[in-house]
Amino acid sequence: MAPTPEKFYRWRVQLDCGCVEEVLTYGKEKLPVEQQWHDLVHKVRLPAGQVLCFHDDSPPEPYRKIVEWGERKEVSFPADPVEPPDWMDAKAWALIRHEEPRTSAFWTVTLSCGHATEVMAPDLEWKPADGPQRASKMSLRRMKAAYEELWASDPDAQAESEREHTRRMLADGWPCPSPENLCRTCTWARWIVAYQRIGWLVPRQPEPKRPKPPSRTGLQRRLRQAEAEAEKLRKQLAQLGGEDASEAGS
Ligand SMILES: [Zn+2]
Ligand SMILES: [Zn+2]
């Protein structure tokens, strides 16, 4: 499926995180900053000139607004196992466990940063034109109270950015799908700030050297040499005797 290695060109690029990496382009004409690289996590293209670079100390993923709704797909899940996963106690698991197999719809969305992510629809029939569904007044009041209690009793339960998101969600009636989403790509995506050519991935064979077309003076010199040589041979033949000499002279 991939093009042959002969088609790839190597570049050294510097990213805005300071890292220097090597990238490959298809052919040597398109610059790395003009290229749209792939976000392999979401199988979409990044904004032109961005690549992913992974750092342990990357900033936390920010919330971004959805600016465009893209493709829809359905994903089927089997029933959840009865046993809770290691990280959850049995009581909580019983509350959220899906006893039956189920199918959910996912939409690929573009965020305000230009990156893509997937959003689960509230139900299979839902379309973006329907707008988000909102929680009932009663459940909203309950959620508000529960979060206020959580923040008061355990101030570290939510990071500041997460708490801000929760506040926006509560103020907006807990819309589903949420108009903003975490963008994991933002923590990894870096701009190319400088680039330098390295060369073809498969080094090209040097062009075979063609013999130079002969020059006029060169040809004249070779002709003089050939005539002198012919003259010498005629003289030698003449010295060998009459008949041979006349044949050679004719
Ligand atoms: Zn980096
Ligand atoms: Zn982003």
Side-chain angles (χ1 to χ4, degrees), residues 12-99:
R12 194 173 289 121
V13 296
Q14 190 175 18
L15 311 178
D16 64 0
C17 50
C19 293
V20 174
E21 306 279 347
E22 197 179 305
V23 296
L24 296 174
T25 52
Y26 184 73
K28 61 183 285 202
E29 302 308 325
K30 203 163 192 183
L31 303 176
V33 286
E34 297 167 343
Q35 189 83 30
Q36 272 199 293
W37 305 91
H38 277 282
D39 171 356
L40 296 175
V41 181
H42 299 104
K43 298 186 179 66
V44 293
R45 282 164 181 264
L46 291 168
Q50 271 192 347
V51 290
L52 297 186
C53 191
F54 301 93
H55 289 255
D56 287 338
D57 59 349
S58 288
E61 46 225 54
Y63 277 96
R64 305 287 196 201
K65 291 230 178 304
I66 295 172
V67 293
E68 205 181 313
W69 292 82
E71 305 209 328
R72 177 189 181 276
K73 68 171 181 189
E74 287 186 6
V75 182
S76 294
F77 301 93
D80 287 335
V82 180
E83 284 298 308
D86 293 342
W87 44 270
M88 191 174 268
D89 63 67
K91 212 170 145 192
W93 181 239
L95 283 175
I96 63 160
R97 179 178 165 248
H98 292 96
E99 289 176 30

Side-chain angles (χ1 to χ4, degrees), residues 135-152:
S136 70
K137 278 212 173 92
M138 198 206 278
S139 58
L140 200 59
R141 261 204 306 277
R142 274 198 205 132
M143 273 194 280
K144 255 183 201 162
Y147 273 111
E148 294 295 348
E149 198 187 311
L150 175 72
W151 293 331

Side-chain angles (χ1 to χ4, degrees), residues 135-181:
S136 70
K137 278 212 173 92
M138 198 206 278
S139 58
L140 200 59
R141 261 204 306 277
R142 274 198 205 132
M143 273 194 280
K144 255 183 201 162
Y147 273 111
E148 294 295 348
E149 198 187 311
L150 175 72
W151 293 331
S153 63
D154 185 0
D156 296 330
Q158 276 191 312
E160 191 51 38
S161 63
E162 203 58 42
R163 190 185 293 211
E164 290 302 317
H165 167 72
T166 306
R167 285 212 174 93
R168 288 193 294 274
M169 289 290 285
L170 288 170
D172 194 9
W174 208 268
C176 176
S178 168
E180 58 179 32
N181 266 263

Side-chain angles (χ1 to χ4, degrees), residues 62 64 111 113-115 183-186:
R64 305 287 196 201
L111 303 172
C113 50
H115 301 139
C183 184
R184 197 154 293 150
T185 312
C186 261

